[in-house]
């Protein structure tokens, strides 16, 4: 991350010359065309030429000026519109121009057309000139750039002792974080934050007389000095305006860096000592491992609702039985498996204890009736907490309601527990580091998922590896601008994060709440909607109009449900950050599949005020991406898969994703026999790419467990029934729509998961030996 006063401010002049042969959207008259210009690295304002009427080849000859910095990716968007007085203006032509292709002092004329063979074109002149009046302080990781902020304090006073009506006044600085603010004269002071080098102005409007306004160019104000102006209005009393421009906050609250944070590095240093001792014991090594011989081993758990939560308990118990829990440095979870992790990490020493106690607590929650979570008393509590969150400043979104319902499903009482509280479980390196996954997408394209970005949550940080941007976990949900913390909100209880990580299960919740009058009706409707899928396919999120008739339950949440908000909305901590001129070629910037959006910086996540974070199951049911970051250098991944349909399907999708992103990952190519009858454990490796991790894959199967109650212990005829576990994708008691299990089914799943791990002991030990040897070979080769 660089912090410096960087020269490179330039004046970009764009002159819209003319267009030729523009098509008319109106069959009766020629086009009435104008051109808009948008350059968000220089201004929030969209500039516009005058409209030339009834002309297919209009001539504008209008110039526009922008102050830009050459270290930024300055992409100008030019759009030609055909004005229509009755309907929305029709777009005719849209082009992008990268100002970074201009040399200092260059004058260039460009013609943009709809296609190489097109006779319609737009002619534009560009000129770039260096400015020497300022050097701007930039902070960058080579992908994102944080710019300097200026802060303007505004106070409105009545002039003299005059008395009169207190009219409303609106204050506006386009592009400021605060946005428009309304007040009455003399009722307080206001503050605006905006990029320091933008050519902004403060506009003061009288609400009762919109034609009367005062405009003050911010660059004309001396820094650090109080300036008093009199607003010469026609109303009484006159208004005095006090202005003071200052430098905005310098310190970033967003960490711009692609490697692990210092807290994670310190944790790994402590954890390596635990791992080294555990490996020496289980592998029966003669001597101690050197620090650079200690492999990084990780557990990756998929989603799967109550099934994933329950099975993960059983598998972790199996790893503890084998003495392998202390060999693991990371545990990642998605969707349902995050419920198990968030429960376990409430105990700072959970992995050092017998898991029978937590397992019994789990069984009591899995087997209890769920009807009470929609009782009137509970509904009132949900409504009250949602209202309190809205008052604090959190955006209203449907996932928050799902989060409270989900918490009631998994706990008897609300838990005042937060993600940052899990740091206590890491302070001595006594447990693996948990990482939780979500997917950020575009709120307007929830059914297509042509674009997405992995977001990871740990007790230390929340962030986007793609952008190399992270914040402390306790600040997630607070408001940021240009990397600075603008408004700190109280850290959310972890149930609201679980709502994000598992909102796949909220898909039909809205409609079911509308339909139902009683809790039993709600659960019948919800299960019916979910089970309409013959297999565990991913449902599409949909935003629809509310039903005309609402059930009694929906009456508790009229505002929230009538709005039909996005699945999730959280203040975007990347908001306002801009892109480095070479961001696209940064080795840690990963594009999303074949989308073109990653090449359009003006449309990427930092331009959005809110994040739209979803369950990763909408794309791939995996929590593996955090483990594939090269800076974590993971040697061995224990892949715990809870899918009922396709033992290798999600892992193969992950492999395809990694190929598209050029991420080192072994080919997932099970044999036809393995596809037909998968076993408890499968090994995947790539001997030609030593940087790719080895994967031990544990699908959820009922194989030798049918004949053995424990490894090497055959079942008696009386025990045969205990080995029958229905894992069908259609009628299993563990289908993801099932929120309540019988005690017998719960015990079967726990025992099966535990057995499958213990029965794979030799696979696990051999993989650990290989991981140690891999580290030793890497040390022998020396640094590359």
């Amino acid at each position: 991350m660089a912090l410096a006063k960087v020269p490179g401010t330039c004046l970009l002049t764009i002159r819209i010359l003319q267009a030729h042969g523009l098509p008319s959207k109106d069959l009766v008259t020629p086009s009435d065309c104008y051109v808009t210009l948008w350059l968000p690295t220089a201004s929030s304002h969209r500039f516009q030429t005058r409209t030339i009427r009834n002309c297919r080849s209009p001539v504008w000859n209008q110039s526009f000026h922008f102050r830009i910095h050459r270290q930024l990716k300055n992409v100008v968007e030019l759009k030609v519109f055909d004005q229509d007085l009755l309907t929305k203006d029709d777009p005719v032509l849209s082009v992008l121009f990268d100002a970074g292709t201009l040399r200092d002092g260059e004058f260039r004329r460009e013609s943009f057309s709809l296609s190489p063979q097109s006779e319609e074109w737009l002619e534009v002149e560009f000129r770039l000139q260096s400015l020497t009046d300022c050097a701007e302080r930039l902070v960058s990781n080579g992908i994102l750039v944080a710019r300097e902020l200026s802060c303007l304090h505004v106070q409105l006073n009545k002039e003299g002792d005059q008395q009169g009506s207190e009219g409303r006044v609106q204050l506006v600085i386009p592009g400021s974080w605060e946005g428009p603010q309304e007040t009455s004269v003399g009722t307080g002071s206001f503050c605006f934050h905006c990029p320091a080098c933008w050519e902004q102005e403060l506009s003061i409007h009288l609400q009762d007389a919109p034609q009367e306004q005062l405009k003050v160019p911010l660059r004309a104000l001396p820094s650090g000095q109080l300036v008093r102006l009199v607003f010469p209005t026609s109303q009484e009393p006159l208004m005095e305006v006090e202005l003071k421009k200052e430098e905005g906050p310098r310190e970033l609250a967003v960490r711009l860096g692609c490697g692990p944070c210092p807290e994670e590095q310190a944790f790994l240093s402590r954890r390596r000592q635990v791992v080294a001792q555990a490996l020496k014991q289980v592998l029966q090594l003669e001597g101690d491992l050197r620090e650079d011989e200690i492999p990084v081993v990780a557990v990756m758990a998929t989603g799967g609702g109550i099934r994933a939560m329950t099975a993960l308990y059983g598998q972790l118990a199996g790893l503890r039985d084998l003495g392998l829990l202390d060999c693991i440095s990371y545990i990642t979870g998605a969707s349902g498996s995050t419920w198990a992790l968030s429960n376990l990490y409430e105990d700072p020493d959970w992995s050092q204890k017998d898991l029978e106690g937590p397992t019994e607590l789990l069984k009591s929650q899995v087997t209890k009736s769920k009807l009470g979570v929609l009782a009137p008393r509970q509904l009132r509590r949900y409504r009250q907490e949602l209202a309190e969150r809205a008052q604090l400043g959190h955006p209203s979104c449907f996932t928050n309601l799902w989060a409270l319902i989900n918490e009631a499903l998994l706990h008897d009482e609300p838990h005042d527990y937060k993600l940052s509280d899990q740091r206590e479980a890491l302070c001595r390196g006594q447990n693996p580091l948990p990482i939780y996954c979500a997917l950020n997408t575009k709120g307007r394209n929830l059914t297509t998922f042509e674009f997405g970005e992995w977001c990871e949550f740990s007790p230390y940080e929340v962030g986007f590896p793609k952008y190399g941007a992270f914040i402390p976990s306790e600040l997630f949900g607070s408001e940021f601008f240009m990397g600075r913390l603008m408004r700190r909100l109280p850290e959310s209880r972890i149930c609201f994060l679980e709502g994000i990580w598992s909102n796949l299960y909220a898909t039909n919740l809205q409609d079911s709440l509308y339909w139902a009058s009683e809790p039993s009706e709600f659960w019948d409707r919800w299960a019916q909607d979910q089970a309409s899928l013959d297999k565990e396919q991913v449902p599409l999120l949909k935003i629809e109009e509310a039903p005309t008739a609402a059930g009694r339950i929906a009456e508790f949440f009229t505002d929230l449900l009538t709005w039909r908000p996005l699945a999730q909305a959280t203040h975007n901590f990347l908001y306002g950050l801009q892109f480095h001129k070479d961001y696209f070629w940064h080795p840690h910037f990963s594009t999303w599949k074949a989308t073109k959006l990653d090449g359009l910086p003006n449309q990427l996540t930092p331009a959005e005020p809110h994040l739209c974070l979803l369950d990763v199951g909408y794309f791939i049911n995996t929590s593996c991406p955090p483990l594939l970051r090269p800076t974590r250098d993971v040697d061995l991944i224990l892949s715990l898969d809870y899918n009922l349909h396709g033992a290798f399907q999600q892992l193969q999708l992950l492999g395809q994703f990694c190929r598209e992103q050029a991420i080192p990952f072994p080919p997932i190519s099970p044999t036809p026999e393995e596809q037909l009858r998968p076993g408890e454990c499968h090994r995947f490796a790539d001997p030609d790419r030593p940087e790719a991790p080895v994967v031990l894959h544990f699908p959820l199967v009922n194989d030798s467990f049918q004949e053995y109650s424990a490894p090497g212990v055959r079942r008696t005829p009386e025990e045969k029934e205990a080995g029958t576990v229905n894992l069908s994708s259609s009628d299993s008691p563990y289908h993801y729509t099932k929120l309540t299990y019988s005690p017998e089914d719960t015990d079967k799943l726990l025992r099966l998961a535990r057995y499958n791990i213990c029965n794979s002991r030799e696979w696990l030990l051999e993989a650990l030996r290989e991981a140690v040897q891999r580290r030793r070979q890497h040390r022998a080769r020396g640094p590359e």
Side-chain angles (χ1 to χ4, degrees):
M1 181 173 69
L3 171 60
K5 278 278 190 178
V6 182
T9 304
C10 299
L11 178 66
L12 173 65
T13 301
I14 302 177
R15 188 180 183 191
I16 309 299
L17 296 174
Q18 60 184 329
H20 175 77
L22 296 180
S24 176
K25 302 296 182 178
D26 189 337
L27 300 178
V28 180
T29 61
S31 302
D32 301 329
C33 287
Y34 62 90
V35 182
T36 63
L37 304 89
W38 184 44
L39 180 53
T41 53
S43 174
S44 64
H45 186 65
R46 292 179 186 264
F47 296 91
Q48 180 176 322
T49 67
R50 63 182 176 274
T51 300
I52 306 296
R53 301 197 176 279
N54 299 325
C55 183
R56 294 191 61 202
S57 299
V59 177
W60 291 281
N61 278 331
Q62 284 185 256
S63 295
F64 300 85
H65 305 282
F66 302 90
R67 291 172 65 94
I68 65 173
H69 199 291
R70 298 211 63 170
Q71 290 298 308
L72 302 177
K73 191 69 170 177
N74 299 293
V75 178
V76 187
E77 181 183 275
L78 303 171
K79 288 187 175 182
V80 182
F81 287 91
D82 183 3
Q83 190 177 67
D84 194 315
L85 299 179
L86 299 178
T87 62
K88 187 177 180 181
D89 293 351
D90 297 308
V92 177
L93 176 67
S94 178
V95 296
L96 299 175
F97 178 78
D98 185 356
T101 63
L102 296 171
R103 297 186 304 273
D104 184 24
E106 182 178 2
F107 176 89
R108 186 188 301 178
R109 179 175 292 191
E110 295 275 3
S111 291
F112 303 102
S113 59
L114 292 173
S115 66
Q117 298 78 28
S118 176
E119 296 182 358
E120 302 91 12
W121 44 263
L122 172 69
E123 190 172 10
V124 184
E125 286 181 354
F126 300 92
R127 186 178 183 184
L128 190 68
Q129 300 168 283
S130 290
L131 298 176
T132 58
D133 58 344
C134 78
E136 187 177 358
R137 184 182 296 106
L138 303 179
V139 184
S140 178
N141 61 0
I143 301 174
L144 295 178
V145 178
R147 307 182 69 177
E148 287 186 82
L149 289 182
S150 66
C151 177
L152 181 68
H153 298 275
V154 183
Q155 174 76 47
L156 302 181
N157 303 312
K158 296 177 183 178
E159 176 70 9
D161 298 326
Q162 302 178 67
Q163 301 295 320
S165 61
E166 295 188 358
R168 299 291 295 174
V169 179
Q170 185 183 61
L171 309 173
V172 180
I173 297 182
S176 68
W177 174 74
E178 289 79 4
Q181 300 191 57
E182 294 187 2
T183 183
S184 298
V185 180
T187 57
S189 60
F190 297 87
C191 184
F192 293 89
H193 293 85
C194 61
C197 284
W198 280 11
E199 299 261 350
Q200 298 291 68
E201 63 181 13
L202 167 69
S203 297
I204 304 176
H205 304 262
L206 295 179
Q207 300 288 69
D208 297 334
Q211 73 281 2
E212 297 193 30
Q213 58 179 302
L214 176 67
K215 293 192 174 184
V216 182
L218 300 190
R219 291 186 62 83
L221 296 176
S223 182
Q225 297 183 25
L226 184 65
V227 176
R228 290 185 175 89
L229 303 173
V230 175
F231 192 166
T233 68
S234 61
Q235 300 184 8
E236 297 292 342
L238 296 179
M239 184 192 310
E240 180 188 70
V241 182
E242 291 186 357
L243 303 173
K244 187 176 183 180
K245 185 175 73 171
E246 297 178 335
E247 186 180 73
R250 286 192 182 186
E251 183 178 357
L252 296 189
V254 176
R255 181 177 72 87
L256 296 180
C258 297
C261 64
E263 294 81 2
E264 181 175 336
Q265 295 177 38
F267 160 80
L268 290 173
S269 180
R270 298 188 295 268
R271 185 64 180 174
R272 273 193 290 268
Q273 309 312 310
V274 177
V275 172
Q277 187 60 36
L279 287 172
K280 181 180 179 180
Q281 183 173 345
V282 299
L283 298 181
Q284 299 180 355
L285 302 176
E286 293 182 359
D288 294 335
L289 290 171
R290 294 170 45 133
E291 184 165 330
D292 56 1
E293 294 177 336
I294 304 170
V296 178
V297 183
V299 166
M300 186 285 294
T302 72
I306 299 293
R307 177 181 69 248
M309 178 177 68
T310 306
L312 181 53
Y313 269 82
Q315 290 173 316
L316 292 176
L319 289 172
R320 191 178 188 284
D321 291 344
L322 299 178
L324 300 182
L325 262 183
D326 282 345
C327 300
I328 295 164
S329 296
Y330 292 101
I331 296 183
T332 62
S335 199
S337 61
T338 66
W339 305 340
L341 295 179
S342 60
N343 286 345
L344 288 171
Y345 276 86
E346 288 193 30
D347 183 348
D349 297 300
W350 71 269
S351 68
Q352 307 303 311
K353 299 177 179 178
D354 190 299
L355 294 184
E356 290 303 320
T359 301
E360 288 301 314
L361 182 60
L362 164 81
K363 290 162 65 174
S364 69
Q365 297 302 318
V366 168
T367 58
K368 74 178 183 182
S369 170
K370 305 302 189 293
L371 294 181
V373 304
L374 292 178
R377 178 180 63 85
Q378 290 281 56
L379 295 175
R380 285 191 291 270
R381 183 178 69 79
Y382 304 156
R383 184 173 59 181
Q384 179 180 351
E385 186 160 0
L386 292 174
E388 291 172 353
R389 284 180 62 80
Q391 291 175 356
L392 288 172
H394 291 283
S396 295
C397 63
F398 192 79
T399 292
N400 288 338
L401 175 56
W402 159 247
L404 293 174
I405 293 176
N406 187 56
E407 180 186 44
L409 294 173
L410 304 176
H411 301 282
D412 292 328
E413 297 294 336
H415 273 211
D416 188 19
Y417 190 72
K418 304 175 180 66
L419 180 59
S420 64
D421 292 337
Q422 294 183 0
R423 293 172 186 167
E424 187 179 353
L426 308 172
C427 61
R428 304 187 308 278
Q430 69 270 37
N431 299 296
L433 175 65
I435 303 177
Y436 309 85
C437 291
L439 191 70
N440 184 58
T441 187
K442 290 289 184 180
R444 298 185 183 92
N445 293 308
L446 292 178
T447 60
T448 61
F449 291 97
E450 296 174 342
F451 176 79
E453 299 164 335
W454 295 98
C455 182
E456 62 178 51
F457 296 72
S458 84
Y460 298 126
E461 286 191 321
V462 177
F464 291 91
K466 169 180 177 175
Y467 297 115
F470 303 85
I471 57 171
S473 57
E474 63 268 25
L475 296 183
F476 179 72
S478 294
E479 297 184 62
F480 292 76
F481 183 62
M482 197 63 78
R484 281 79 169 183
L485 178 62
M486 307 303 294
R487 183 185 181 193
R488 180 165 184 163
L489 302 183
E491 183 180 1
S492 295
R493 297 192 296 114
I494 200 168
C495 74
F496 290 103
L497 302 184
E498 292 175 332
I500 294 172
W501 303 331
S502 61
N503 58 22
L504 180 68
Y505 300 93
T507 305
N508 295 313
L509 191 59
Q510 292 168 300
D511 296 321
S512 301
L513 285 172
Y514 262 108
W515 183 88
S517 292
E518 302 295 339
S520 59
E521 293 176 343
F522 163 78
W523 293 119
D524 289 344
R525 172 62 181 263
W526 186 80
Q528 182 182 8
D529 287 346
Q530 300 287 68
S532 63
L533 301 169
D534 59 347
K535 296 177 180 177
E536 292 204 327
Q537 299 170 343
V538 176
L540 297 178
L541 282 180
K542 53 186 185 296
I543 298 177
E544 302 172 347
E545 293 300 322
T548 54
R552 185 161 50 177
I553 294 177
E555 295 175 3
F556 280 86
F557 307 101
T558 302
D559 294 337
L560 182 64
L561 292 172
T562 301
W563 179 28
R564 308 287 280 185
L566 296 179
Q568 217 291 321
T570 303
H571 294 302
N572 181 8
F573 57 87
L574 302 182
Y575 184 51
L577 291 168
Q578 296 174 357
F579 283 89
H580 189 272
K581 62 184 180 65
D582 299 321
Y583 81 94
F584 196 79
W585 311 112
H586 193 283
H588 291 287
F589 181 80
S590 59
T591 59
W592 182 260
K593 297 195 293 186
T595 181
K596 297 179 180 178
L597 200 59
D598 281 315
L600 306 177
N602 299 350
Q603 299 183 40
L604 289 176
T605 300
E608 305 282 351
H610 296 103
L611 300 174
C612 184
L613 293 167
L614 304 175
D615 190 319
V616 300
Y618 284 107
F619 177 58
I620 303 175
N621 187 11
T622 182
S623 63
C624 201
L627 304 176
L628 302 178
R629 290 173 57 184
T631 52
R632 290 203 167 107
D633 197 18
V634 174
D635 298 279
L636 173 62
I637 296 175
L638 309 184
S639 169
L640 310 182
D641 191 314
Y642 306 118
N643 291 280
L644 296 183
H645 177 66
F648 304 97
Q649 183 185 64
Q650 299 302 311
L651 195 63
Q652 288 173 321
L653 289 174
L654 175 62
Q656 177 183 341
F657 170 79
C658 290
R659 287 194 302 275
E660 293 170 350
Q661 309 297 328
I663 298 172
F665 196 74
I668 308 302
S669 51
T671 66
E673 293 77 12
E674 290 174 323
Q675 290 272 25
L676 185 63
R677 185 179 176 180
E680 291 97 350
C681 182
H682 302 263
R683 179 183 180 275
F684 299 102
D686 189 346
D688 297 328
R689 301 189 71 182
E691 71 275 19
V694 173
V695 176
L696 281 192
H697 185 58
F698 297 84
L700 188 61
V701 296
N702 186 21
D703 189 20
S704 60
F705 182 70
Q706 299 176 68
E707 302 296 330
Y708 294 86
S709 59
V713 180
R714 281 196 172 273
R715 293 187 182 277
T716 64
E718 295 77 19
E719 295 173 325
K720 286 290 186 180
E721 173 59 28
T724 303
V725 185
N726 181 0
L727 298 177
S728 165
S729 61
S730 57
D731 63 350
S732 171
Y734 310 113
H735 192 275
Y736 81 98
T737 62
K738 306 294 185 181
L739 299 179
T740 301
Y741 293 174
S742 70
E744 296 77 17
D745 287 332
T746 306
D747 285 334
K748 282 184 178 182
L749 185 57
L750 285 166
R751 290 174 185 146
L752 171 68
R754 191 170 189 163
Y755 170 88
N756 284 354
I757 290 292
C758 292
N759 197 50
S760 304
R761 178 177 180 274
E762 294 307 318
W763 286 85
L764 288 160
L765 293 180
E766 182 58 29
L768 290 172
R769 291 189 191 97
E770 288 180 1
V772 171
Q773 186 61 27
R774 165 180 169 154
R775 286 281 169 168
R776 286 174 171 167
Q777 291 173 350
H778 179 74
R779 177 171 62 83
R781 288 195 302 267
E784 298 179 357

